[in-house]
Amino acid sequence: MKMRRALPADAAALAALECRQPRAAGWGEKGFATELAQPCAYIWCAQEQGEILGFLALRCAAGCAEILNVAVAPHRTRQGIGRALLRQAFAALRAQAAEQVSLEVAQDNVPAQALYARAGLKPLGRRKDFYGPGCDGLVMGMNL
Ligand SMILES: CC(C)(COP(=O)(O)OP(=O)(O)OC[C@H]1O[C@@H](n2cnc3c(N)ncnc32)[C@H](O)[C@@H]1OP(=O)(O)O)[C@@H](O)C(=O)NCCC(=O)NCCS
């Protein structure tokens, strides 16, 4: 599997993958295209035989990175792709001397929380009812 930075031409493929994972952020093709045009945005994708199997989108400014959107194709989850995307993103962030990374995840999104915890991110706080009544947003983060 190859890891690479996404290009503007990937926006449609990224959106197609994203819409197969309802817990992803729901940016759609326009959202990906807008994000890819931001100078502080980085979208990594995992590709095999020309097919994008997963992506991780983050922004980084002033040494602080925030992960904004992550998804792996449903037929390829639990095969280490999410972990590999985080590893790639963190290595690139360290190479540009970023110091911290954080993200927010819904309290009932157990797979994503497990992925992030396994990568070393720790709970930092909670945004009450962020995802609707009874579903808080958990803020997680770590030093790089
Ligand atoms: C969360 C997601 C990106 C994980 O990707 P993945 O490629 O399946 O993750 P990996 O195979 O690399 O898993 C790495 C570790 O994360 C944890 N993990 C991943 N999926 C899990 C699950 N369903 N249940 C429990 N732990 C899980 C495990 O600790 C796993 O290590 P292990 O397989 O050795 O036990 C994927 O499930 C997904 O696309 N979910 C929908 C979108 C989403 O929730 N995005 C995040 C929004 S904040």
Side-chain angles (χ1 to χ4, degrees):
M1 193 176 347
K2 177 177 149 189
M3 291 285 167
R4 65 170 176 84
R5 286 277 297 274
L7 304 167
D10 295 314
L14 291 166
L17 193 167
E18 181 195 47
C19 77
R20 294 166 64 199
Q21 277 291 15
R23 310 239 38 175
W27 286 351
E29 183 175 349
K30 240 181 168 174
F32 277 103
T34 303
E35 192 62 17
L36 283 161
Q38 301 295 324
C40 61
Y42 301 81
I43 302 182
W44 290 99
C45 43
Q47 181 174 327
E48 195 174 80
Q49 291 172 350
E51 184 189 1
I52 294 178
L53 296 173
F55 67 81
L56 181 152
L58 62 85
R59 285 190 182 192
C60 184
C64 294
E66 185 174 10
I67 295 174
L68 299 172
N69 197 0
V70 184
V72 170
H75 68 293
R76 294 297 298 268
T77 55
R78 229 46 214 269
Q79 295 175 26
I81 297 175
R83 194 198 326 260
L85 283 163
L86 283 171
R87 201 182 305 125
Q88 173 67 49
F90 290 177
L93 286 169
R94 287 188 184 106
Q96 65 181 74
E99 291 170 1
Q100 294 175 342
V101 61
S102 65
L103 57 87
E104 185 190 79
V105 55
Q107 71 175 43
D108 62 352
N109 191 345
V110 174
Q113 283 172 45
L115 169 71
Y116 302 140
R118 190 91 193 251
L121 288 105
K122 306 266 186 266
L124 295 180
R126 185 176 278 268
R127 292 178 182 154
K128 191 156 171 47
D129 295 338
F130 190 82
Y131 291 91
C135 189
D136 295 350
L138 304 183
V139 180
M140 300 179 75
M142 64 184 262
N143 292 328
L144 288 162

